[in-house]
Every structure is written in C-alpha cells, then in structure tokens.
Amino acid sequence: MVMRVAKVLTVVVALLLLPTVAYGIRTSAKFEAHIAAADASLERPVRPVNDANLRPIIGILSQPGDPAPDGQSYIAASYVKWLESAGARVVPIFYDMDIEDIERRFAVTNGLLLPGGGATLAPGHRFYDSARHLVELALKANDNGDYYPVHGTCLGMETLAVILSSNYTILGTFDAEDAPAPLLYTDEAAASHLLRSLPPDVVADLQNKPIAMENHMNGLAMAAFLENPALGRFFRVVSLSLDKSGSAYISTLEGRNYPFTATQWHPEKNAFEWTPHLRIPHSTDAIRMSQEVANFFVAEARRNLHKAKNILEEDDMLIYNFKPVFTGKHEYVGEEKDFEQAYFFERASRGR
Ligand SMILES: *[C@@H]1O[C@H](CO)[C@@H](O)[C@H](O)[C@H]1NC(C)=O
C-alpha cells in the first residue's frame, strides 16, 4: 500500500514537474486537469497477436509540394522504411488519382498511412478530397466488420481531425517546430489500445523523455476538441504535449470504436531522417520507440484480409516500381533539407 501510494505520488510529482523540466515554464491548472494522475502503462493486458495476414500492405497517400518537382507528388521514404522495418510493404496512393483508382488501391491495402507534410486541408483540394474519400472507405469497411486500420502522422493527424469534425477551422497555431516533447498521458490513456500494445518501457519512455519528434505549426487544442462533439465521440485523447511557449496541444488520438490512431509526432523520423537542422531524437530509446510504434501499426494491418487479385496486380502497385531520390544531399554547409530520401510521382489522373 505504502509502495503504491509512493509510486502514484512519484508519477504525480513527475507529471507536474515535466513541463517545467521540458521548457522551463509552468502550465495552467486548466491544462493539468486533463492529465492522468496515474501511470497509464499499468493497465494491461495486450490484445493477442493476430497473424491472419502475413503479407500486409499499407497504402500511403502522396501529396504535392516541396520537395516534389512542379506537377508531381511525393512520399518521404522514411514512412516507407518505417513500415518495411515492421514487416509490411507499401503501395503508394497518388493524391491526384481518379476515384476508381483510389478504390482499387484501397481494395489491395490492409491499412492506410496519412503522412506529414504541408498540403491544404479544405474541400476542393485534391489531397484533402482523396484523404477524405479513403477515410470514408475505411469507416465503411470497419462498419462492415472489415478491420482496416488508419494512422495519421502530423499533417495526417490534422487531416483526420478536420475530416472527422467537419470543421475546416478546427486547427490552431502552435509554436512546436523542431520541438521534441514528452507525451503527457490523459486519464483516458489507460483505455488506449496503442499504449496497451506497446511494451511498458516504451510507454514510460514516451512519457518521461522527449523522444517524440514534434515539428508542426498547426495543431489541435483540447478546447477545440471539446467544442466539437462529433470529434469527441469518435476519438479519445491519449496524450497532450506542450509547445515551446507552454501551450498544450493534443499529441495522440485514438478511435474509440475504430482502429484509427493519430500522432502529431513523427515516429518515422527517429530512425530514418538525419537533417542536422532539426533535433530529431536518435537515442537508443527513441529508435526502439519508433520501431515499436511501427510494429503496432503493422500488427493492426495483419488483421486485415484485403488482397490483390493476383501477384501481377500486386507487383504493379508496389512502391518498388519507383526509385527514391537522395533529397537530403546538401549543396552547401547549412542548407536546410527536410527528407533524406523521397519518392516522386508523375501526375496520376487521366481525366483531369
Ligand atoms: C470550428 O472550430 C473552431 C475552433 O474550436 C471554432 O472556433 C469554430 O466555432 C468551429 N466552427 C464550427 C462551424 O463549429
């Protein structure tokens, strides 16, 4: 009993001190009200492994913009390597594909990754419209008992927040560029399928060390989340993090009834991005965390049974049809580069 109280007290004290340690400032009581008083990792057990599909394929949605040449789209290779490291292969889904082609790719993938980036999140923009269509397909699939996981990273999380809230101005502005941060678990974190699936030491590391790579200007405030009942019905808030000025934003979301996860942080960067102008955590603990989050998402995809009609259709769609480009090569000392390697794709739509 005494041990238990001591442990809870330690966690409470650690949580109260964390923000101070991280950024040297105190946070408001309003923010602390959302933080759990106990260690979320204590809640177990893990859902049993489901190896229904031993050849999982994840779709990644491409987007226009830097570093893609004009008229082309890109996928940063770090997302591909991250998924490959956990035993999955990748099929690119081009943001400017016709709907039938998007649906064909949905039908052969076992999960969807919406990556980070800078695409515009409003109807009429092809990235948003395609993301929305894919999310609707995923929702419908899950409603029909077809377990189809979706993960959004950074812009991908913001995309899910906009789609599921139907509010194009739900995102706020935060000072969180190049701001690796600890995750402050909420009291709902105890019910998190993601956290209960990760090894307890990884859950503790994410909480106690700033190994989650945060690099964003937009974000979702708890107040905005609470104002939107549809979003609260869909997602539970698993963690908050603090930006450089001490403002709290939602850093991890998870579907209540759907296998959707979203991280404002970038688990793929730790092992696979090396730009020296960002403070990407490359410690052993950070790399292990990155791998375990990939293991989680790919394990989710192994529950899904989507399949290509035959091996030739599968071959034609795989990312192996493309060569990554060394986009991180510097031409002068101090040049800022976002990604070590990226895949570029020509315009995909026939019709438009
Ligand atoms: C969208 O979210 C923002 C931020 O919470 C809020 O100010 C705005 O009123 C919301 N708009 C609608 C239409 O609900």
Side-chain angles (χ1 to χ4, degrees):
M1 183 63 194
V2 173
M3 286 281 289
R4 204 186 136 89
V5 169
K7 180 156 193 193
V8 169
L9 272 180
T10 310
V11 171
V12 170
V13 169
L15 278 171
L16 293 178
L17 287 179
L18 249 186
T20 326
V21 172
Y23 297 112
I25 39 97
R26 291 211 167 272
T27 50
S28 66
K30 199 170 143 200
F31 156 70
E32 278 161 9
H34 297 297
I35 299 301
D39 186 340
S41 69
L42 297 176
E43 300 290 327
R44 298 260 140 191
V46 178
R47 187 192 295 193
V49 168
N50 182 328
D51 272 343
N53 178 356
L54 295 174
R55 301 176 61 83
I57 292 179
I58 309 289
I60 305 183
L61 186 60
S62 79
Q63 65 185 292
D66 195 42
D70 272 354
Q72 297 189 20
S73 67
Y74 79 95
I75 292 174
S78 47
Y79 294 97
V80 177
K81 297 175 209 183
W82 184 67
L83 293 168
E84 287 180 346
S85 77
R89 288 166 301 160
V90 166
V91 159
I93 304 179
F94 311 124
Y95 85 104
D96 51 352
M97 273 184 146
D98 292 325
I99 283 206
E100 314 78 71
D101 291 326
I102 288 183
E103 291 181 350
R104 214 164 287 137
R105 290 194 174 217
F106 178 80
V108 311
T109 55
N110 308 111
L112 172 70
L113 173 59
L114 297 172
T120 306
L121 301 180
H125 290 265
R126 295 279 307 260
F127 174 84
Y128 179 79
D129 290 345
S130 297
R132 183 175 186 113
H133 190 63
L134 282 162
V135 167
E136 281 167 0
L137 290 171
L139 292 172
K140 207 184 324 154
N142 283 293
D143 285 340
N144 294 330
D146 171 15
Y147 195 90
Y148 187 93
V150 174
H151 178 76
T153 297
C154 200
L155 175 81
M157 168 173 154
E158 295 166 15
T159 306
L160 289 171
V162 170
I163 292 171
L164 291 158
S165 67
S166 309
N167 179 340
Y168 306 108
T169 60
I170 196 159
L171 300 175
T173 305
F174 289 90
D175 184 12
E177 282 189 284
D178 190 22
L183 304 187
L184 305 168
Y185 297 134
T186 66
D187 45 17
E188 284 211 278
S192 163
H193 170 44
L194 166 66
L195 294 190
R196 280 182 295 161
S197 304
L198 294 176
D201 61 305
V202 170
V203 176
D205 283 349
L206 277 165
Q207 184 176 33
N208 297 325
K209 303 171 191 169
I211 56 174
M213 182 58 195
E214 301 281 5
N215 192 31
H216 56 103
M217 286 180 295
N218 293 324
L220 186 58
M222 195 71 192
F225 180 88
L226 293 173
E227 266 175 34
N228 192 288
L231 203 52
R233 275 194 299 276
F234 190 88
F235 278 123
R236 69 167 51 96
V237 176
V238 173
S239 75
L240 299 169
S241 294
L242 300 182
D243 77 359
K244 293 180 204 168
S245 68
S247 299
Y249 56 86
I250 294 175
S251 48
T252 312
L253 284 171
E254 182 174 308
R256 292 180 187 282
N257 302 309
Y258 291 84
F260 281 39
T261 46
T263 56
Q264 187 68 74
W265 40 286
H266 286 266
E268 81 292 348
K269 282 197 194 292
N270 304 87
F272 299 111
E273 295 293 359
W274 294 97
T275 176
H277 80 268
L278 295 178
R279 294 173 301 150
I280 299 169
H282 294 301
S283 65
T284 305
D285 294 340
I287 303 300
R288 172 160 153 76
M289 177 279 285
S290 164
Q291 290 174 338
E292 291 294 349
V293 178
N295 288 343
F296 164 80
F297 183 52
V298 173
E300 290 282 275
R302 277 193 203 98
R303 304 166 66 90
N304 181 279
L305 297 175
H306 289 193
K307 208 170 179 309
K309 287 190 205 77
N310 55 52
I311 201 87
L312 297 183
E313 187 191 41
E314 185 175 290
D315 285 350
D316 277 345
M317 290 188 187
L318 288 170
I319 196 137
Y320 306 139
N321 290 288
F322 300 89
K323 290 196 182 93
V325 176
F326 184 9
T327 45
K329 191 172 170 80
H330 296 92
E331 273 152 43
Y332 55 89
V333 174
E335 188 182 17
E336 293 195 0
K337 296 283 192 174
D338 285 335
F339 307 116
E340 289 307 317
Q341 293 185 299
Y343 291 89
F344 296 139
F345 311 107
E346 299 288 348
R347 200 181 299 277
S349 170
R350 293 184 304 265
R352 282 177 258 194

